Amino acid sequence: MLSAPAVAAAQVGECARHALLLIDPDSPSCGLVQGALARLGYQVTVLDSGVQAIGQFTPDSHQLVITDLYLPDMGGLEVLRKVKHLSPDTPVVVLASDSEVDDVVQALRLGASDYLLKPIADESVIDHALTRIMEARELAAQNRQYREQLESRNRELKEHIDLLQRDHQAGRQLQQHLLPRTPYEYPAGIKAAYRLQPSLYLSGDFIDYGLFGERFVAFYLVDVSGHGVSSALVTALIKHSIMHLLRERPLFSQLNTLDSDLTEILEMINSELLATRLDKHASMFVGVLDSRARQLHYAVAGQVPMPALVTSDGARWLSGKGRPLGLFEHGGWEVRHCSLPASWRLVACSDGVLELLTGDLLQREDDLLQLIDRSRGDLDSLCAALKVDTAESFPDDITILTLRQDER
């Protein structure tokens, strides 16, 4: 372990530091202090005038000031005040006699780093004082540098966050632009509406619907695994792929091809997700409403909860099963059919809706079905019961799609 003089000398380093020494040159302590400073690597300027010392003092040239409390032209406390006014970080050591204890206390209150009592008989007293001062000064410099670096990094982080927020806002506007109008009524008397609340800026949920000819209304709800940008990009990919397929082939135009059209969409999206190698999968509910025959053709791929059909007899879950998209080459998807009465409501929810309820999965599904039944499949009533429009945040993306047709 280094001795105190060695530590002080090491802290001085290769570059000699300067000390402005303000003591009476005739004082017996002057030579001892000056010699100790020179031995530790300081270039010492000896002055006996406070006015002259303040005139010569510059923070860049003088890293340490030692002043006697008693000077012929200016009190040492006044020298201390002026030095601290010019350079608050410059350490000041005061020299005082035993009779000047009150002034020493005042000097410490004014910011003096330490004091030495005269007469000084042992140079080690000076070594220890300088060691403490230089350690404190070095620590203060390190803390200042750390604060500056931290502030700089905080500014960079804020700029980065602002940029991300702008990008996310732009992405959210684009995703909203890709969604269909809500509510919307088709000439066949079928009304569609939805509510989509992302847990972040962007949503991994997506829905779409459209009229094909004068008879068929096709729709889907897809829930991509994960949250944020990557999941939102996959929803855009799904939208693009379906639109591209529709441009290539006249889907949902013939009654005898409706079932194969639905399975072709599921197979196409499954292939797309596997090909991206993004480790993303999706659940999906896709269907076609035949307004003339009052029949629903639909298929599910890992959909939880299942869609619910609301009639005059109450609400019930639709049947069906199928593997999620993007996990297996073949999902075993099957198309089912459901006859519809003159007046009906269809409610499809993403699994994030279940996160708004409590209990195990079966209990949550039962509670959701009861809420759907009490709301009679009305979107606004169901959202109010689930507090979708009033909650400040959601643990998962929330999407509710409703379709309805009333007896004419």
Side-chain angles (χ1 to χ4, degrees), residues 323-379:
R323 291 177 176 178
L325 306 172
L327 294 178
F328 309 97
E329 290 188 8
H330 303 287
W333 304 291
E334 58 181 19
V335 177
R336 299 207 172 194
H337 310 94
C338 177
S339 297
L340 301 172
S343 180
W344 54 268
R345 311 284 189 273
L346 183 65
V347 180
C349 304
S350 63
D351 61 0
V353 173
L354 295 175
E355 298 296 327
L356 304 177
L357 304 170
T358 58
D360 58 28
L361 179 59
L362 291 178
Q363 182 63 53
R364 295 181 186 187
E365 289 182 334
D366 288 343
D367 292 344
L368 177 59
L369 187 61
Q370 291 180 23
L371 291 176
I372 293 173
D373 188 26
R374 286 198 293 268
S375 69
R376 303 304 301 156
D378 179 71
L379 179 63

Side-chain angles (χ1 to χ4, degrees), residues 21 23-37 123 126:
L21 181 61
I23 61 173
D24 183 356
D26 295 330
S27 169
S29 300
C30 176
L32 187 64
V33 173
Q34 186 176 358
L37 294 173
E123 289 186 357
I126 304 173

Side-chain angles (χ1 to χ4, degrees), residues 208 212 220 222 236-248 251-252 265 268-269 272 284 286:
D208 205 358
F212 293 81
Y220 66 85
V222 63
L237 171 65
I238 292 173
K239 164 86 172 184
H240 170 77
S241 299
I242 292 176
M243 297 303 296
H244 182 72
L245 184 61
L246 290 173
R247 286 193 296 269
E248 288 187 338
L251 300 179
F252 312 126
I265 284 181
M268 181 267 297
I269 296 174
E272 291 279 2
M284 190 171 188
V286 57

Side-chain angles (χ1 to χ4, degrees), residues 18-20 45 56-65 90 137:
H18 299 72
L20 177 58
T45 301
Q56 292 188 18
F57 171 74
T58 58
D60 293 335
S61 299
H62 304 100
Q63 283 75 42
L64 174 65
V65 173
T90 298
R137 182 182 178 88

Side-chain angles (χ1 to χ4, degrees), residues 212-285:
F212 293 81
E214 298 179 354
R215 179 176 179 178
F216 303 115
V217 175
F219 61 91
Y220 66 85
L221 184 155
V222 63
D223 181 357
V224 179
S225 61
H227 307 280
V229 176
S230 60
S231 298
L233 289 175
V234 174
T235 66
L237 171 65
I238 292 173
K239 164 86 172 184
H240 170 77
S241 299
I242 292 176
M243 297 303 296
H244 182 72
L245 184 61
L246 290 173
R247 286 193 296 269
E248 288 187 338
R249 295 190 51 188
L251 300 179
F252 312 126
S253 59
Q254 300 294 326
L255 178 61
N256 61 348
T257 63
L258 290 182
D259 292 0
S260 60
D261 292 343
L262 291 172
T263 54
E264 183 174 358
I265 284 181
L266 292 176
E267 290 170 355
M268 181 267 297
I269 296 174
N270 186 62
S271 298
E272 291 279 2
L273 292 179
L274 290 174
T276 60
R277 301 184 183 277
L278 292 176
D279 194 27
K280 291 288 184 181
H281 63 274
S283 63
M284 190 171 188
F285 171 54

